[in-house]
Amino acid sequence: ATTTTTEATTTTTEATTTTTTAAAEAIDLVVWADEKRGPILETLAPKVLEETNVNLVIEVIVYDDLREQVTTTAPAGEGPDVFIGAHDWTGPLSDAGVVAPMNDFPAETAADFFDPSLTAFTLGGSLYALPFQMEGIAMWMNTTLAATTDAPATFEDLTTLCDSVLSGDQACIALPGGADGADAYHMFPFQSAFGGSIFTFDPGTGYTADTAGIDEPESIAGADFMAGLVEAGYIPSYNYGNAQEAFQQGNALFWMTGPWARGDAETGAAENGFEFQVITVPTMEGNTPRPFFGSQGIYLSSQTTPELAAKTFIYDYAAAPETQQALYDADPRLPANKTVAEVVSADPIVAAFTESIANGQPMPNIPQMTGDVWDSWGAAMLQIRNGESDPTTALTAAGEQINGLIGA
């Protein structure tokens, strides 16, 4: 692949003190990463050059632009040889023909990574990226407001606790997806707890876009359960910002979101004098919720010319525990690497989110999971949250719309 520098900051090892001869003979390997991961991968450049005579060309791209730029440049033989991205890009990128499978990924290396992180990047039986990070939903709990660190095991326990300690405008569950902020992702635990899903999901084979899924009885039952909590006042109509603000100010007992909110929770606790912990989402009528989880990884471009060099970089250097640790430190959510997980397992917040992911379900990574599908699903759940429609009516209509979108 050739190098494009549009909207990118380029760093190459030719700018180091490496000898001119080595730099001139080196094979260039173009790596696209965001501002958090780019500097980490750049630190590998001297070692990679010395040991493999491959010159890493690190280009920092705005994360939100990465997918579009790869999709645009790769068909022309331009863009990166290797790039970072989310697991739910796998289907669209594969469909566009811009990523290559890693069918020769060493089994002994794969054993160092949690199965869910690998499953997230697997499509049609092929692995498309090396994972380095996972994330999923759990519940942040204000233990000062609760006057206990005992985690409610069931939603009945949770609502009983809310009834006993809250007053005035204090919220029981600050859950994104209400007000003006459609957000099916955050509300999926309710549908999944009753066996609902978007499309057909099998843990062994992944997703099949044969039917919308959200209009089936199990999905509707989960939405009914959530609607009951909304009607009873336990879940206010909050968008993400409302939910964050309520928890940060100490006015919400629970905040249902992911590990990316850690800094916000810590800031709120420090400024408003409360303590918190993270717990898994309680059971609902005896059913264990399956929150969506996502994974971040390093893809191999289908257009890469130095394929062996690219795979060597991914398999031997990016997959190394020390690199995985550095990537975790740069953005501490949840590690995909087992060695890193052991190092950080003493952190109770990491442990709680890891347990939640163990119960979880990967976000769909198939091409049919388009923005239009998310929008239709999210809009239906928003109507339910805001009391504008009942679950059966809203989800039946959304199911028909999604089936039309996927040609089912």
Side-chain angles (χ1 to χ4, degrees):
T2 58
T3 304
T4 177
T5 57
T6 303
E7 298 183 18
T9 302
T10 304
T11 304
T12 74
T13 53
E14 293 173 351
T16 71
T17 56
T18 306
T19 63
T20 303
T21 301
E25 295 176 353
I27 299 170
D28 282 349
L29 186 72
V30 180
V31 180
W32 281 8
D34 65 350
E35 66 278 1
K36 289 184 178 179
R37 287 78 173 222
I40 302 303
L41 299 179
E42 183 184 338
T43 64
L44 301 176
K47 183 178 182 181
V48 172
L49 181 62
E50 180 182 358
E51 296 179 353
T52 68
N53 205 33
V54 170
N55 181 53
L56 295 184
V57 181
I58 308 296
E59 297 190 0
V60 175
I61 309 290
V62 175
Y63 184 85
D64 290 344
D65 297 338
L66 265 164
R67 176 173 157 182
E68 181 180 356
Q69 289 201 29
V70 169
T71 303
T72 301
T73 58
E78 301 177 348
D81 298 298
V82 172
F83 61 95
I84 67 119
H87 87 274
D88 55 328
W89 300 0
T90 304
L93 291 176
S94 174
D95 207 37
V98 299
V99 288
M102 303 179 187
N103 292 325
D104 56 353
F105 189 66
E108 60 272 20
T109 304
D112 293 335
F113 292 81
F114 290 110
D115 287 341
S117 69
L118 296 167
T119 300
F121 283 106
T122 300
L123 187 67
S126 294
L127 179 70
Y128 279 88
L130 168 77
F132 60 82
Q133 181 188 83
M134 296 188 293
E135 58 189 20
I137 288 175
M139 297 187 84
W140 300 85
M141 175 180 176
N142 183 327
T143 54
T144 302
L145 193 57
T148 182
T149 57
D150 293 339
T154 70
F155 254 81
E156 183 179 4
D157 295 336
L158 184 150
T159 55
T160 297
L161 177 62
C162 288
D163 288 339
S164 66
V165 301
L166 299 182
S167 62
D169 63 352
Q170 292 175 326
C172 180
I173 305 169
L175 173 66
D180 59 352
D183 191 337
Y185 172 87
H186 273 90
M187 290 181 282
F188 182 64
F190 292 96
Q191 293 183 285
S192 66
F194 291 81
S197 180
I198 179 73
F199 305 140
T200 298
F201 175 72
D202 182 281
T205 58
Y207 287 91
T208 303
D210 53 353
T211 181
I214 62 165
D215 55 349
E216 295 180 359
E218 296 84 358
S219 292
I220 292 173
D224 272 328
F225 183 84
M226 182 192 72
L229 294 168
V230 171
E231 186 176 355
Y234 293 111
I235 302 179
S237 185
Y238 285 168
N239 60 26
Y240 188 91
N242 302 146
Q244 175 180 322
E245 181 180 11
F247 191 81
Q248 283 186 303
Q249 292 182 351
N251 288 326
L253 189 52
F254 298 97
W255 182 19
M256 203 164 166
T257 193
W260 54 83
R262 182 169 188 164
D264 297 320
E266 290 173 340
T267 298
E271 292 179 351
N272 294 289
F274 64 86
E275 296 183 349
F276 63 84
Q277 64 185 16
V278 174
I279 65 170
T280 56
V281 182
T283 60
M284 305 175 189
E285 296 184 359
N287 304 307
T288 300
R290 301 192 318 273
F292 272 146
F293 69 83
S295 190
Q296 295 282 330
I298 301 176
Y299 285 98
L300 172 68
S301 170
S302 62
Q303 303 302 313
T304 183
T305 302
E307 181 178 345
L308 179 60
K311 288 185 174 181
T312 298
F313 169 68
I314 295 172
Y315 299 175
D316 295 347
Y317 294 92
E322 55 269 26
T323 305
Q324 293 283 314
Q325 180 70 58
L327 289 167
Y328 170 81
D329 291 339
D331 187 15
R333 298 191 182 187
L334 301 175
N337 181 270
K338 294 177 182 178
T339 301
V340 179
E342 288 181 8
V343 172
V344 301
S345 62
D347 185 333
I349 291 178
V350 172
F353 276 111
T354 300
E355 183 180 354
S356 184
I357 283 180
N359 295 330
Q361 178 174 319
M363 285 193 301
N365 63 359
I366 55 177
Q368 293 86 351
M369 193 65 192
T370 62
D372 288 340
V373 171
W374 278 111
D375 289 346
S376 180
W377 184 17
M381 296 300 288
L382 181 64
Q383 288 179 326
I384 298 167
R385 280 289 298 277
N386 288 341
E388 297 169 353
S389 180
D390 65 89
T392 299
T393 301
L395 292 174
T396 298
E400 291 176 357
Q401 186 175 19
I402 291 171
N403 282 330
L405 289 169
I406 65 174

